[in-house]
Amino acid sequence: MSQQMSADRARIRQARIAVSLVFATHGAASGSFVTRIPWIQDQLGLGTAALGIALAFPAIGAATAMPLASRVMHRHGARAAVRGLLALFTVAFALVALAPSLPVLCALLFLSGATGGMADVAMNAQGVEVEERHGRSIMSGLHGLWSVGTLLGSALGVGAVWLGLDARIHLPLVALALTLAVPFLSRGLLDVRPTAGEVAPPRFALPPRSALLIGAVGICAVLAEGASMDWSGVYLRDVTGASETVAAASYTAFACTMALARLAGDAVVRRLGPVRTVRISASLAATGGLLVVTAAVSAQAVLGFALIGVGVAVVVPLTFAAAGHSGPNPSRAIAGVATVTYTAGLFAPSVIGALGELASLRASFGLVTAALTLLLLGAGVLGQRPAREVAASDAGSAARALPAP
């Protein structure tokens, strides 16, 4: 028995390393693409409006395809699903550089978003499974490693730009390296498969009821995240009169604090639990929102955006974890929450911009601050677990037999 327990622990450690590398790989592909957006805009001669339309297609593709991920996992198993979908994404994002026109660019961005979104669902479902068997919170750290991956990918992209490397060479080279690495990196994933007689999930379905309230919490966080990412620089420049350099620093402060908070978030969740963690985080984020709304000087606004970054960092990872524990089909629940939150992320920048046009950007971030207050009030849904799961946990579910590698 002791040898079996040691083997199980080693298997879980191996799975945790593997899923961590998968998150970082997904992030590296995303970060690599972002650095070449200006090149794509210049290559196709796109104006700001046309580029904005094109950049909506990854989110549209993700929201459309995410419900399919649970069916792929049911049919092929969790490990094969993560491996296949991640490999498809690492190929698809590079094809964007080859687009000869705006319609083709939109189609390729849709494909990239669809494959990336399904891979996102599959790897989060794997993360929830590993977390459950590990018996400790790991989801925040996994999302932190995704952020680290984006930073590494973007750093390589900056180097490629500095060297004058054509994106049609840079992105395929990155894609080739990542795609070849996927089978090796994913070897340690858990090969979770459906139980005998389990009905396959529908191809397309509304999110299960268990995921709706959790998704609403995710929407509040995604609204604040999207608004801060896309509008912080404009806010600093137009509202507080900051220079372009300081305006750019506002996003840097936001991104860095978010990445650091995610990497440290698991230790906080283990100590305080998800509900208290989100309530404290939401309080920090709402305080940051108030600082932004009332900012008369740039430094106050930069601090406010940094606090928003800290405050929302762990929320989306915890919503995925809560979704995975909320019903009998974790992958479908995660897909539902991801679809809801990604759709909200699609519209968030437009909502902020429209309200800013009708009223002011201060009013827009007043809306963000209100959403963060709702996040504080709704944090309790992340701690609700079904009775069957509590009973299973009390019976020692952590000792379940692990699937064969």
Side-chain angles (χ1 to χ4, degrees):
M1 178 63 72
S2 177
Q3 290 181 345
Q4 181 62 43
M5 291 179 63
S6 297
D8 289 349
R9 284 195 293 268
R11 184 79 178 91
I12 294 170
R13 284 196 299 270
Q14 184 181 21
R16 183 179 179 184
I17 293 171
V19 74
S20 299
L21 293 173
V22 162
F23 269 80
T25 300
H26 192 288
S30 302
S32 298
F33 164 71
V34 168
T35 61
R36 304 319 299 251
I37 290 176
W39 183 93
I40 293 170
Q41 182 180 19
D42 292 342
Q43 184 71 14
L44 297 182
L46 303 178
T48 302
L51 180 63
I53 292 172
L55 292 179
F57 275 83
I60 296 172
T64 301
M66 277 178 166
L68 287 170
S70 57
R71 191 174 181 89
V72 173
M73 294 175 67
H74 182 276
R75 182 171 181 177
H76 299 287
R79 182 165 59 198
V82 173
R83 180 180 294 167
L85 291 171
L86 183 59
L88 286 174
F89 173 55
T90 57
V91 171
F93 89 90
L95 296 177
V96 175
L98 307 178
S101 63
L102 178 60
V104 176
L105 175 65
C106 291
L108 291 175
L109 286 171
F110 180 93
L111 176 64
S112 177
T115 55
M118 287 194 292
D120 198 334
V121 171
M123 68 192 199
N124 273 284
Q126 178 77 196
V128 168
E129 186 69 26
V130 174
E131 179 179 83
E132 183 176 334
R133 299 188 186 199
H134 186 55
R136 303 176 70 187
S137 173
I138 66 170
M139 289 300 291
S140 179
L142 292 179
H143 283 254
L145 287 170
W146 184 91
S147 298
V148 171
T150 63
L151 292 174
L152 292 175
S154 62
L156 288 174
V158 170
V161 172
W162 183 74
L163 291 172
L165 191 62
D166 192 301
R168 290 168 293 192
I169 298 174
H170 163 227
L171 292 185
L173 283 176
V174 173
L176 178 63
L178 294 178
T179 304
L180 291 176
V182 166
F184 172 76
L185 299 178
S186 59
R187 284 190 307 177
L189 296 176
L190 301 176
D191 193 19
V192 182
R193 293 184 177 271
T195 57
E198 182 179 332
V199 178
R203 287 183 175 87
F204 290 98
L206 293 174
R209 292 182 180 179
S210 60
L212 291 178
L213 288 177
I214 296 171
V217 171
I219 287 173
C220 294
V222 167
L223 174 64
E225 182 177 346
S228 300
M229 288 178 65
D230 291 346
W231 288 99
S232 59
V234 176
Y235 192 96
L236 264 290
R237 185 191 64 197
D238 294 352
V239 176
T240 67
S243 66
E244 293 291 340
T245 302
V246 173
S250 66
Y251 172 72
T252 302
F254 174 84
C256 288
T257 55
M258 173 173 280
L260 291 173
R262 281 180 171 170
L263 290 172
D266 288 322
V268 178
V269 174
R270 291 167 193 157
R271 183 175 182 85
L272 302 179
V275 175
R276 288 184 64 193
T277 299
V278 171
R279 285 175 176 160
I280 293 171
S281 297
S283 299
L284 289 173
T287 300
L290 287 173
L291 288 175
V292 169
V293 171
T294 60
V297 295
S298 301
Q300 179 178 329
V302 170
L303 176 60
F305 283 117
L307 286 177
I308 292 175
V310 172
V312 301
V314 300
V315 178
V316 171
L318 289 179
T319 59
F320 286 148
H325 297 305
S326 68
N329 192 322
S331 61
R332 184 183 169 194
I334 291 170
V337 168
T339 301
V340 168
T341 55
Y342 270 61
T343 303
L346 171 63
F347 290 107
S350 300
V351 170
I352 297 301
L355 183 56
E357 185 70 24
L358 292 172
S360 67
L361 280 178
R362 288 190 190 275
S364 295
F365 278 90
L367 175 64
V368 170
T369 304
L372 292 170
T373 303
L374 292 176
L375 175 60
L376 175 64
L377 299 175
V381 302
L382 301 184
Q384 297 176 1
R385 299 178 70 173
R388 64 161 186 84
E389 183 178 316
V390 174
S393 177
D394 291 343
S397 61
R400 287 160 39 196
L402 289 170

